[in-house]
Each structure stands twice: as C-alpha cells, then as structure tokens.
Amino acid sequence: MKKTIRDYDLKGKRVIIRVDFNVPIQDGEITDDNRIKASLETIRYAIRHQAKVILMSHLGRIKTEEDKLTNTLEPVALRLSELLDQEIIFIDETRGKLLEDTISELKEKEVLLIENTRFEDLNDQAESQNNEELGKYWASLGDIFINDAFGTSHRSHASNVGIASNLANGIGFLIEKELKALEKTIQRPRHPFTVILGGSKVSDKIKMIENLAKKADYILIGGGMAYTFLKASGIEIGSSLLDDEHLAFCQEMLEKYSDKIILPIDSVNALEIKENVETRECFINEIKENEIGLDIGNQTVKLFKQYLEKSKTIIWNGPLGCFEIEQFSSGTKKICEVLSRIDAKKIVGGGDTGAAIIQFGYEESVSHISTGGGASLKLLEGKKLPGIEIIENKK
Ligand code: AMP
C-alpha cells in the first residue's frame, strides 16, 4: 500500500501537489475542465488541513519558444480559482527568485500554481528526461510531495519521479481511486476480456498491443489506429492516418494474434476533416485514394457488438472516429449505446474517450472512467508506473 496525503500532517507545510491540468485549450479558452475538477478533492483536502499548497502540471508539448504562448497554465489558474472560489497565485515561470520568494511568503491555505513544467523541456528536455538537478530544485521548494497526476504516472519525469526521489511523498485521492478501480481488474479480469482501441496516437498504443494480446481474448481496433493495421493486412487506405514506421510491427501482430485482433470491415470517409463535409460509407477494401477514413461504419459496429456482448471485462481506450465532428461520431456513439446494454466490468481510459462518453450521455453506464489513457493501459499490460512506484509504501 502506498502512502497517501492522509498519512501526513500538512499544517503549515509547503505541499507540492503534481496534478494533471493537461486540458484542451482553444484560443485561450478551456474546452473541457474535467481534469481540473478531478484534482479538486486533493487540493481541497490540503487547503482544509492548512497546507501551503503548491501545484505543478504539464500542458501539451513544448518544443519551441512559440509553443509557450499557447501552452501557458494561466487560463487554468483562472478556472481553478472559480472552481475553488479562492485566489490562485500564478507564477509564470518554472524556477527563479520570484517563484522562490513567493513560496517563502506563502501562507497556510493559499494556493500557488507554477507555470507549465514542460517549459523546462526547452532546457535540454529537463522535465521529460527527469533531469536530476531539476527534480532536486523543485523538491527544494516543498516539504511534502503528493503525486495526484495519474495521467502522467506512466512516465518518469522530473515533476513526478524527480521530486518524489528527494522529498517525503504520497499519492492523492485521484490516484488512490484509479488504483482501486483498475488493480482488481488487472489482477483478475473476468473472461472473455475485450480491449477496444482507437484514437490517433498510433505509435503510443501500438507497442502495447503485444502485451494486451497476451491478457485479452479480443482486441477490437478502430479509430485512426485501425488504418495502419488495415494497410499492414494489404488493404488500400487512401489518405487515412498511417504510421509507416510501425507497418512491419502491425503485420507481425496480425500474424501472431490473428484470432484476437479484430479490424473494421467498413469505413466512413471524407476528403477533408471538417464539419459538414460530404461523407461516404464503404466496405473497407473500397476506400478511394483521396479519401480519409474517419469513422467505423455500421457493419463494423455490428461486428464489434458480437464480441462485446459476450465479454465480461471491457477496456476502452481511444474514440472509434473523429467524434468531435458530428458526421464522424456515429461509431463511437453506437459503441457507447452497445456498452450501456451490456452487463460487464467496463473501464474507459483516456481523456478523449471519457469526454466522448460524457458528451453522449453514457457516463453512468460504465464502471469507471480513468483520467489516464496511457497510464491505465500500461497498468493493464501488467507494467508498473514509475510515478507511483517511486512513492513510499506504508510501513
Ligand atoms: P487519442 O488521444 O490517441 O485517444 O486520440 C484521440 C483523437 O483521435 C480524437 O481527437 C479523434 O478525433 C481522433 N481520431 C479518431 N479516429 C480517427 C481517424 N480515423 N483519423 C484521424 N483521427 C482520428
């Protein structure tokens, strides 16, 4: 059992909480604040127990100076202040005198948010590569470290593993809840055990398939992911999403797990990814050269349904089409509907899949919506998460 925030006396202590505020922001506006809301329980607990609260999070990816303009946490500070109904002290830097001085003047129950931890990635990837000096520096700003960012706990970064290596530590309520919901399923999934994989981050998920295939009875692949597999099986996919680098790997998986990996048999296509565009549904071997496959078709929904209806454990990661656009939302919506009528343990992982389920009104029909897509899949693969492993065990 890992130590938790409850195991510490927080009064008067500088408590660094690593949260996951990696929310979608468009033109400075947060379009989905579920991740902020998911962190409130731990933050409120720290305030109630008279801590000096220091929050850290990453947001997006930072590769150039320009990325900083669109990935500042400032809008998050504003939203958080509305949700908590108290002022948030936002420091627009990740290190330096202003940050240090403000922390040393911080009073009990006050909340300070440090700028996007990934701004440090311009500094030789210091955050993402868990630079030792950075982890030590951030740890020097606090007395206790609480990791509550489940979504990044599968990565070893300076803002989780780095700080935890140098400070008394524990997990927050969100990670505690995630572990409770996921661990039993991982240790003893009831069979048939089916994984639904979709979304667009092909390279992130493709590697997990081998481990998942060892545990699951079926892997239903849709979304952008599917087209690399389809191409690997010899089907022409037109201008659909393709991860060239992993074609050989997909081919190998298809040969090795031909009885487990189930691919779409039809596709909804368009010439562009935008609202109100003309669409065409066709069998999978009829995609035209200039078409982009953007959703699974009705025949695939029926096929997937057959597998889902006999399953006792279902894990879903990644939407089955570009569900944000009405014309390509049908596959994801219909699979939500199918799931709502099935009596099984149903776990949904990943910000987008969770957002889709909530958007279509099926939130109540699943057992658990995980805030971490990659992290929940890693756990299900049977892997340890470094951001949680590093946390001290209870004596
Ligand atoms: P991920 O973060 O990997 O779960 O990817 C989520 C994103 O995948 C969503 O924004 C979807 O719009 C996108 N997506 C789903 N299906 C497709 C597709 N066929 N082609 C391109 N993107 C897709």
Side-chain angles (χ1 to χ4, degrees), residues 198-201 205 223-224 227 241 293-295 317-324 352:
S200 60
K201 284 191 216 103
K205 293 176 201 171
Y227 295 91
L241 195 68
L294 293 166
D295 196 9
N317 182 298
L320 298 167
C322 288
F323 76 97
E324 299 93 338
D352 279 312

Side-chain angles (χ1 to χ4, degrees), residues 89-141:
I89 304 165
F90 175 66
I91 302 293
D92 64 355
E93 38 190 66
T94 47
R95 59 167 94 208
K97 189 159 163 31
L98 173 68
L99 176 63
E100 292 155 24
D101 288 350
T102 316
I103 288 178
S104 69
E105 282 161 23
L106 206 60
K107 297 188 186 72
E108 288 176 9
K109 294 184 160 206
E110 283 187 338
V111 180
L112 177 146
L113 173 64
I114 299 181
E115 183 56 284
N116 184 354
T117 55
R118 286 203 182 149
F119 279 21
E120 288 288 339
D121 276 349
L122 293 184
N123 180 9
D124 222 8
Q125 297 233 299
E127 155 73 330
S128 299
Q129 295 294 324
N130 187 13
N131 174 282
E132 206 181 319
E133 180 272 329
L134 182 60
K136 274 193 183 141
Y137 171 70
W138 279 339
S140 75
L141 303 174

Side-chain angles (χ1 to χ4, degrees), residues 24 31-32 34-35 198-199 295 316-326 328-337 339 348-366 369-370:
T31 53
D32 176 359
N34 278 314
R35 283 190 169 151
D295 196 9
W316 183 5
N317 182 298
L320 298 167
C322 288
F323 76 97
E324 299 93 338
I325 299 172
E326 171 71 24
F328 311 113
S329 63
S330 163
T332 305
K333 217 182 278 177
K334 284 184 177 152
I335 292 297
C336 285
E337 228 171 81
L339 287 185
V348 177
D352 279 312
T353 325
I357 296 245
I358 294 167
Q359 185 184 319
F360 301 142
Y362 290 95
E363 196 178 350
E364 298 301 325
S365 72
V366 296
I369 300 182
S370 172

Side-chain angles (χ1 to χ4, degrees), residues 196-213:
I196 313 171
L197 279 185
S200 60
K201 284 191 216 103
V202 179
S203 57
D204 276 14
K205 293 176 201 171
I206 258 175
K207 287 282 174 198
M208 297 179 178
I209 287 185
E210 177 137 46
N211 286 325
L212 289 171

Side-chain angles (χ1 to χ4, degrees), residues 6 37 49 52 107 128 155 206 247-248 266 291:
R6 285 190 299 271
K37 288 182 176 153
H49 288 81
K52 300 170 179 176
K107 297 188 186 72
S128 299
R155 304 220 162 94
I206 258 175
L247 265 179
D266 60 354
E291 284 181 326

